[in-house]
Amino acid sequence: MTLHDYAKTSFAGIRSNKSRSALTILGIVIGIAAIILIMSVGKGAENLILEEVRGLGSRTIIVEPGREPRGPSDFGEIFTNSLRSRDVEALRNPSYVQGLKELTPAVAGAVTVSYGSETKRTNFRGSTELIAKILELYPSEGSFFEEEDVKSLAPVAVIGADVKKELFGSSDAAGQKIKIEGRLFRVVGVLPSKGKASFIDIDDMVFIPYTTAQKYLLGINYFHAIIVQAETEKIVDRVARDIELTLRETHNISDPDKDDFHVMTQADMVKRIGTISKILSVLLISIAAISLVVGGIGIMNIMLVAVTERTQEIGLRKAVGATDKNILIQFLLEATFLTAIGGLAGVILGTALAFAAAVILSRTISLNWGFSFPVSAAFLGIGVAACIGLIFGLYPARRAALKNPIEALRHE
Amino acid sequence: MAFIEVENLEKVYSDGAVETPALRGVSFAIREGEFVAIMGPSGSGKSTLLHILGFLDRPTRGTYHFGGKTIDDWTDGELARIRNKKMGFVFQSFSLLPRTTTLDNVKLPLLYSSVHSSHHDELARRAIEAVGLAHRLNHEPSQLSGGERQRVAIARALVNDPDIIFADEPTGNLDSKSGQTIMEIIQRLNEKEGRTVILITHETYTAEHAQRIIHLRDGTIESDIPVHHRHEAKNHFIK
């Protein structure tokens, strides 16, 4: 029997009961569609986050307190107050860290801002004036606060486009006094809108000197982060290494496992996001895989029914010379074709849903959400579906192959 | 040497603890080109005998020589191949594939043969012409009469040019006129084409188309006698 004969025979089996075949593969269709959707949307989200991280600039290095968490139980390690002024002084020293261009300590928090009767809940960043250079912030109105403001703990603020719009509407904001947590601040600059394509939502943010923030808003004397910019991209890793060695010295740490800080370059962040998104994908795909197993059991069930229904056909085929192997292959191929068709339908459905999701996400929350067709996932989806047919079709096909031709012929 | 030779053939069906003997020591020989009818009431073991002769079942005890060789030497796969090449089956209930054209039904045995697929259509057409159904090539079983269906089944049995035809109550589901046509074809296959025919029936009249009748009762041979006044299907109006 040639492959063509097998294919013809198997397709005839599927065609002879179209609506049942269609219902049978529904589980497979849904499972594969879910996997394609997850992989495509996941890829879109990952790309978006990576774009954001790259937006930080490839020369940017971030130092955060606490050692890098190694697992959920380790999470508390992040909340420490290990980064202080002496660290900033040490890092600024060129004999410790070479190739460092800019450096600013940073603090952050959530606050209520108000102007007249308008109030708004927003986030603030406290830093030196250098944050403007690192994040490339150029006020469209007024100017960024200056070194002098940082030194003098001046109550000045640079506000994002959304904050300005909500508090001031279309009137000028520069020079006006706003209240942050009940304390008066002078607006010195307004940032142009960067659009919402940002996880660090610059538009919904207030920038103030870190000294002011530490003293009047937070009441702390440590930093939430130190943001560093290296002179060139090439030396980023070396600068990061220098920072680690310097901080270990200032913190009297000899064992790197006991670090109370961690240094992240853009490359590190990209890597970490990749890991997180992979873990998430695996998790979600495992859930979708359950639907595939359920679908596979459905296939097995229906194939068993089909084998019983077609007992006479099996007996006849054996009478005219079919071997057990011929029958086995016929039913196995039938199950495999059935699930492969389901896989194909799933890929098409999943791709359509992913495309719709990309369009809806881009329109409604104006994120720059890219649609990517996961070619590898498509092949994987059809392949996995076919394998399910092969695995769950084996038992019914064996039952068919081992049927006694006499009993099969007698069956009416 | 006889074409088919069985000696002390026994078949016991066991269903757990209960053993049911179907054949209790049957011996006979059939020459090549012979037309033999096997008769007997239901439960006499005639179907069991046909199944064993047609390699669809193996005997519990006794020997079976086919074409001079004992079937014990063959594997199931080899038996399937011989069944495909040298045997043709015609069943009472026709056993055609539903929703499948005459042409495709007749081609079925060729799928399992070594005949190259480029010859399948030609061979099937020839077999269909031989039973006079050339005008029903693309009809499905549901569009055919009972007699026509049985003729399709005969064409299917013929398509691999077998040496022997097993016919299990071929006229059992047919009216007398259709039955006559079927018997005429079967006689022609035997006389004109020299094929061995083994016919199972419980009707004396049908059995008398053969050259010889073996009567079975309770799994043993009651009588094995030649037919002196054979019916010629083409000359008779039956009943």
Side-chain angles (χ1 to χ4, degrees):
Chain A
M1 209 172 174
T2 63
L3 192 68
H4 177 254
D5 293 332
Y6 277 123
K8 226 179 123 185
T9 307
S10 302
F11 269 119
I14 293 169
R15 264 205 315 272
S16 69
N17 215 326
K18 284 196 202 78
S19 58
R20 189 166 77 189
S21 300
L23 285 173
T24 306
I25 58 175
L26 207 56
I28 304 287
V29 174
I30 292 169
I32 296 291
I35 288 175
I36 297 289
L37 182 65
I38 291 163
M39 285 178 93
S40 178
V41 171
K43 194 78 199 150
E46 188 182 329
N47 285 344
L48 194 65
I49 298 168
L50 287 180
E51 216 171 277
E52 284 313 311
V53 170
R54 294 209 177 92
L56 278 178
S58 55
R59 292 180 294 156
T60 306
I61 300 165
I62 295 176
V63 185
E64 286 182 341
R67 113 170 103 75
E68 206 170 337
R70 299 205 175 103
S73 62
D74 209 23
F75 210 68
E77 290 292 326
I78 319 177
F79 305 106
T80 77
N81 54 9
S82 57
L83 294 180
R84 290 164 188 267
S85 316
R86 63 190 156 94
D87 298 322
V88 173
E89 295 314 314
L91 294 180
R92 277 204 179 113
N93 185 339
S95 61
Y96 287 137
V97 182
Q98 260 184 20
L100 185 150
K101 189 157 176 266
E102 315 283 4
L103 177 150
T104 172
V107 294
V111 288
T112 307
V113 294
S114 60
Y115 175 72
S117 58
E118 305 290 338
T119 63
K120 177 175 169 48
R121 199 71 193 154
T122 187
N123 297 303
F124 75 87
R125 289 285 184 280
S127 63
T128 68
E129 73 288 354
L130 295 172
I131 195 74
K133 284 190 181 164
I134 296 171
L135 296 181
E136 298 180 347
L137 305 172
Y138 308 109
S140 55
E141 201 186 314
S143 58
F144 215 82
F145 58 79
E146 288 165 5
E147 195 182 347
E148 203 49 47
D149 299 320
V150 178
K151 278 187 180 153
S152 64
L153 281 64
V156 290
V158 176
I159 61 177
D162 286 356
V163 179
K164 188 252 167 188
K165 200 174 164 196
E166 280 200 39
L167 295 186
F168 295 95
S170 53
S171 53
D172 282 356
Q176 301 296 329
K177 294 256 162 102
I178 58 172
K179 275 187 177 168
I180 301 179
E181 294 294 298
R183 193 171 282 273
L184 279 175
F185 279 73
R186 185 164 50 90
V187 177
V188 292
V190 178
L191 296 170
S193 174
K194 288 217 168 183
K196 264 196 178 162
S198 186
F199 276 84
I200 311 163
D201 192 353
I202 303 275
D203 290 353
D204 185 14
M205 200 163 280
V206 175
F207 290 87
I208 55 179
Y210 78 92
T211 47
T212 316
Q214 275 184 320
K215 186 161 170 80
Y216 299 121
L217 297 180
L218 296 165
I220 56 173
N221 57 3
Y222 55 88
F223 309 127
H224 293 134
I226 298 173
I227 300 168
V228 177
Q229 194 170 40
E231 270 169 1
T232 66
E233 199 180 324
K234 270 188 201 155
I235 61 165
V236 163
D237 286 340
R238 195 180 51 70
V239 172
R241 181 78 191 140
D242 282 354
I243 292 171
E244 270 181 21
L245 293 176
T246 307
L247 290 179
R248 245 169 241 153
E249 200 160 306
T250 55
H251 292 190
N252 282 322
I253 293 166
S254 51
D255 179 4
D257 280 344
K258 296 207 168 113
D259 277 357
D260 55 4
F261 64 90
H262 62 275
V263 178
M264 279 188 303
T265 62
Q266 187 203 40
D268 291 336
M269 285 185 266
V270 167
K271 216 162 88 188
R272 201 194 276 186
I273 289 161
T275 311
I276 292 169
S277 90
K278 255 189 212 105
I279 291 168
L280 273 176
S281 292
V282 168
L283 205 79
L284 291 169
I285 285 169
S286 332
I287 294 167
I290 293 171
S291 134
L292 289 182
V293 173
V294 174
I297 293 168
I299 295 282
M300 183 151 74
N301 199 359
I302 287 299
M303 287 306 292
L304 280 174
V305 172
V307 168
T308 305
E309 272 183 359
R310 285 154 67 187
T311 299
Q312 213 191 347
E313 176 196 327
I314 295 163
L316 172 71
R317 285 180 187 275
K318 284 192 164 183
V320 301
T323 58
D324 292 357
K325 204 176 122 197
N326 290 143
I327 301 292
L328 181 85
I329 294 175
Q330 180 196 329
F331 278 89
L332 209 50
L333 272 187
E334 195 169 315
T336 307
F337 279 140
L338 200 60
T339 51
I341 292 168
L344 184 65
V347 167
I348 293 168
L349 180 67
T351 306
L353 289 176
F355 184 75
V359 170
I360 291 167
L361 285 170
S362 307
R363 292 256 169 87
T364 55
I365 41 178
S366 58
L367 280 172
N368 183 22
W369 194 287
F371 165 73
S372 65
F373 176 66
V375 182
S376 57
F379 281 108
L380 190 77
I382 297 171
V384 165
C387 283
I388 286 169
L390 213 56
I391 293 164
F392 288 95
L394 193 61
Y395 175 64
R398 260 183 65 83
R399 283 266 292 253
L402 297 179
K403 262 194 192 299
N404 184 342
I406 301 167
E407 273 164 41
L409 280 169
R410 225 180 262 146
H411 185 99
E412 287 186 23
Chain B
M1 184 117 201
F3 184 42
I4 279 177
E5 190 168 9
V6 295
E7 218 165 316
N8 287 320
L9 214 57
E10 287 181 42
K11 180 70 188 181
V12 180
Y13 292 111
S14 60
D15 179 19
V18 187
E19 295 209 327
T20 317
L23 292 176
R24 311 162 187 256
V26 171
S27 305
F28 60 83
I30 293 172
R31 282 178 294 106
E32 194 156 6
E34 206 173 352
F35 185 169
V36 179
I38 297 172
M39 282 194 73
S42 54
S44 59
K46 57 186 194 302
S47 286
T48 303
L49 182 60
L50 183 95
H51 291 147
I52 291 173
L53 293 179
F55 295 173
L56 294 170
D57 205 353
R58 284 184 188 262
T60 312
R61 274 178 290 277
T63 58
Y64 175 12
H65 284 83
F66 181 86
K69 284 184 184 153
T70 173
I71 62 159
D72 299 338
D73 292 348
W74 286 316
T75 63
D76 286 349
E78 283 167 328
L79 291 181
R81 208 169 312 127
I82 295 168
R83 199 157 60 222
N84 178 255
K85 261 197 82 59
K86 303 202 165 174
M87 297 177 174
F89 291 89
V90 180
F91 303 103
Q92 179 176 4
S93 55
F94 323 133
S95 293
L96 299 178
L97 295 181
R99 294 180 294 274
T100 306
T101 62
T102 298
L103 187 65
D104 283 338
N105 260 303
V106 173
K107 272 158 73 176
L108 189 66
L110 295 170
L111 291 184
Y112 303 105
S113 73
S114 52
V115 178
H116 192 268
S117 56
S118 57
H119 301 303
H120 287 189
D121 269 19
E122 173 60 25
L123 288 172
R125 271 169 212 273
R126 227 182 281 165
I128 293 164
E129 274 167 31
V131 298
L133 282 180
H135 59 299
R136 293 277 190 265
L137 221 51
N138 292 312
H139 287 59
E140 294 181 1
S142 57
Q143 299 167 303
L144 299 174
S145 71
E148 286 174 326
R149 288 184 209 179
Q150 195 60 297
R151 277 148 75 191
V152 175
I154 292 174
R156 183 180 62 199
L158 288 177
V159 74
N160 258 335
D161 192 19
D163 296 336
I164 182 164
I165 305 270
F166 293 101
D168 189 355
E169 304 264 16
T171 59
N173 282 3
L174 300 177
D175 61 85
S176 58
K177 192 170 180 305
S178 303
Q180 188 190 354
T181 312
I182 296 302
M183 287 316 297
E184 191 184 323
I185 293 170
I186 289 176
Q187 272 190 331
R188 194 184 70 217
L189 296 178
N190 172 245
E191 282 163 21
K192 295 269 165 25
E193 301 177 13
R195 299 182 211 271
T196 310
V197 175
I198 296 180
L199 169 76
I200 284 203
T201 181
H202 62 272
E203 298 166 340
T204 311
Y205 186 86
T206 307
E208 283 170 352
H209 287 77
Q211 298 161 351
R212 173 182 159 197
I213 299 177
I214 296 174
H215 274 273
L216 285 182
R217 184 175 289 276
D218 295 334
T220 55
I221 294 181
E222 196 177 47
S223 68
D224 183 351
I225 48 172
V227 180
H228 296 296
H229 302 286
R230 285 183 72 195
H231 295 297
E232 289 292 330
K234 61 185 173 214
N235 299 335
H236 283 261
F237 290 107
I238 294 176
K239 290 171 194 168

